[in-house]
Each structure stands twice: as C-alpha cells, then as structure tokens.
Amino acid sequence: MKWKGLQRSQNVSDRRGMGGMSRGVTLGGGGGLIALVVIILSVCMGGSTDIGSLLESLESGAPVTSQPGGSDQFEAVDEQEAFIQAVLGTTEEHWNAVFSAAGREYHEPGLVLFTTATQSACGGATSAVGPHYCPLDETIYVDLEFFDELVTRFGAQGGDFAQAYVIAHEVGHHVQNELDIMDQVQQLQQSNPADANELSVALELQADCLAGTWAHSIFVMEDVLEPGDIEEALDAAQAVGDDRIQEKFQGSVNPESWTHGSAEQRKRWFSTGYESGDPAACDTFSS
C-alpha cells in the first residue's frame, strides 16, 4: 500500500508507553434467527426506516418485509503512527462521502494507540482483547503488537494492507454505531438470548463487509494499491475466523460458540464489500 502521500487523520492519539477490560467490539476472537433488515440498507440508499416499528416487529417474531495534505515527513510521529493516521484518513474520506451522499453527517471516530493497557469508556482496554471499538467513547483501541501476533500467533501472512484491514474493520463497527445497528442488535440479543451468538456473528461479518467497501474505495484511488494488497486483507480475515482460531488453540471446532464467523464467511463478506463497493450489499443479518 502506497500510503505516505495520503492525507492523514488528526483523530489518532498516542498513549504508547503510558501506564493504564474491555467491553468493546473486537476483530476476532438461521433456524430461529430473526431476519434483521439493517438500517444501513436504507440509509446508504437515501431512504428512511422507522426504528421503533422495526424493533417491535423483530422482537414479536413477525416477518420483516478535513485535514492537511499528506507528506513523506512524519512531523514528530514515528512511521507506525503515521501509517495508522494515513489508513484512518482513508476511512474518513470514504465514510464521509457515503454518509454525505445519503444526506447524513458522519462523525469520525477516534483511535488510540497504546501499550499493554489503557483506559476507555468501556471499562479499559488491554492488549489481550486485541484491536477493538468502544461505542461509549466512539474510539478504536489498538496495541500495535497485535500486528505481530496476527502473523506469529494467528498465522496470517501479514503486510501493511492486512493491518489496514484490521483498522477498517473496527471503523466498520463505528459505522454500525453511527447507524444504531449496534444498539438494535444488543436489544435483540437481550430479548432473544438463544440467538445472541448468531447476531454477534452477523454484526462482525457486516463490519468485514463494510471494510471491504473501504478497500474498494482504495482500489479506485490512483496509485495506492500494490500487487498482493487485497490478498493480504483476505488472508488476515481468514486467519481470525472462529473455526481457524478454535482448531489452532482448542483442537476442535464448535460453530455454536462462534461470535465472529468462520474463515470462509469472513473472506466472503469482505469480498462482497470489496467487489460491490456498496454498503447496501452488507446485509449479513438476513442472508
């Protein structure tokens, strides 16, 4: 990924080296499933949805019919932080355009770089949780050591676009928060506990798909993608599939306990977003 000439986000805070359990939404770790028609399908196509009646229908079980220009100079930040700023900047450009086209304002998330542990509105952020999004303070928390673990622990091939995918996935959760999808899913999980895991999987796969639409926006930018970039993202998505993680660390696979989706599902939904470039294609809840 040729990122050094890209505009860089001003929403990145560096807490590395500062001392500091999270309830944020992380990258990774049907029959009876209510078909949730996600608000994003309406929002991104300029429509409107009655949230109250939608939730009432779902819970009853009824069928549901700006920034300064980029530079090669890192301006008192190291190259890792500059890279994260550039990636977050591309997500801001993408989602500002999507929301603007739908007549809505996009509120950009913050991103905190930390080491080992730090504080968040969700009760704290630790390296053990991995990169994750806290909806209460609309902030993504990243310990950069995770990118090494993505290769050494989870078996991904790595690369800068794999890292960019991780950030874009967490931004996908912020988009869900902006559109109240996360709140709706939480309410449905509370009212339908048996479907909680399937709803969690659908939420995570949608974040993968939304990350794919961001990747499409990078594809159409001039001279940014390099050969192998998309393959890096697809490989990373598969590496953190629930089945891959369970087989690697537990020696067996239990689909009923999945919260993020299988390797195949994660690859497929990222590809759906990437190939379409359309957030409206990311209805993982009724698929």
Side-chain angles (χ1 to χ4, degrees), residues 29 236-246 258 260-264 266:
Q238 293 180 93
V240 290
D242 282 328
D243 54 339
R244 292 270 188 94
I245 293 174
Q246 287 182 342
W258 291 354
H260 288 69
S262 69
E264 184 280 329
R266 302 198 71 164

Side-chain angles (χ1 to χ4, degrees), residues 11-15 22-26 84 88 92 106-114 118-125 129-143 166-167 169-175 177-178 182:
N11 295 316
V12 177
S13 300
D14 190 351
R15 299 183 192 170
S22 175
R23 298 178 310 168
V25 184
T26 67
I84 297 297
L88 190 62
E92 292 167 352
Y106 177 62
H107 301 98
E108 298 169 354
L111 189 150
V112 170
L113 301 176
F114 70 97
T118 191
Q119 293 298 312
S120 83
C122 291
V129 175
H132 60 281
Y133 173 71
C134 173
L136 299 181
D137 56 17
E138 300 183 348
T139 299
I140 298 161
Y141 291 86
V142 180
D143 184 334
V166 171
I167 302 302
H169 173 95
E170 298 307 330
V171 172
H173 285 311
H174 176 68
V175 171
N177 191 38
E178 285 277 279
M182 295 181 74

Side-chain angles (χ1 to χ4, degrees), residues 87-104:
V87 171
L88 190 62
T90 63
T91 70
E92 292 167 352
E93 182 177 354
H94 173 57
W95 289 113
N96 273 309
V98 170
F99 274 61
S100 178
R104 292 187 55 141

Side-chain angles (χ1 to χ4, degrees), residues 156-231:
Q157 69 183 44
D160 57 6
F161 209 74
Q163 298 176 18
Y165 150 74
V166 171
I167 302 302
H169 173 95
E170 298 307 330
V171 172
H173 285 311
H174 176 68
V175 171
Q176 292 169 324
N177 191 38
E178 285 277 279
L179 300 175
D180 294 324
I181 295 170
M182 295 181 74
D183 283 343
Q184 291 188 54
V185 168
Q186 185 176 26
Q187 291 180 46
L188 287 169
Q189 288 173 319
Q190 292 173 349
S191 60
N192 300 277
D195 294 332
N197 276 29
E198 288 189 77
L199 287 165
S200 175
V201 167
L203 193 72
E204 294 295 335
L205 294 178
Q206 186 179 70
D208 280 331
C209 184
L210 296 176
T213 70
W214 159 82
H216 179 88
S217 75
I218 300 297
F219 171 76
V220 300
M221 295 174 68
E222 185 176 352
D223 199 30
V224 175
L225 277 184
E226 296 178 297
D229 278 347
I230 296 302
E231 289 75 15

Side-chain angles (χ1 to χ4, degrees), residues 140-159:
I140 298 161
Y141 291 86
V142 180
D143 184 334
L144 293 174
E145 292 298 318
F146 173 80
F147 296 133
D148 292 330
E149 290 192 1
L150 191 59
V151 176
T152 60
R153 187 178 183 199
F154 297 104
Q157 69 183 44

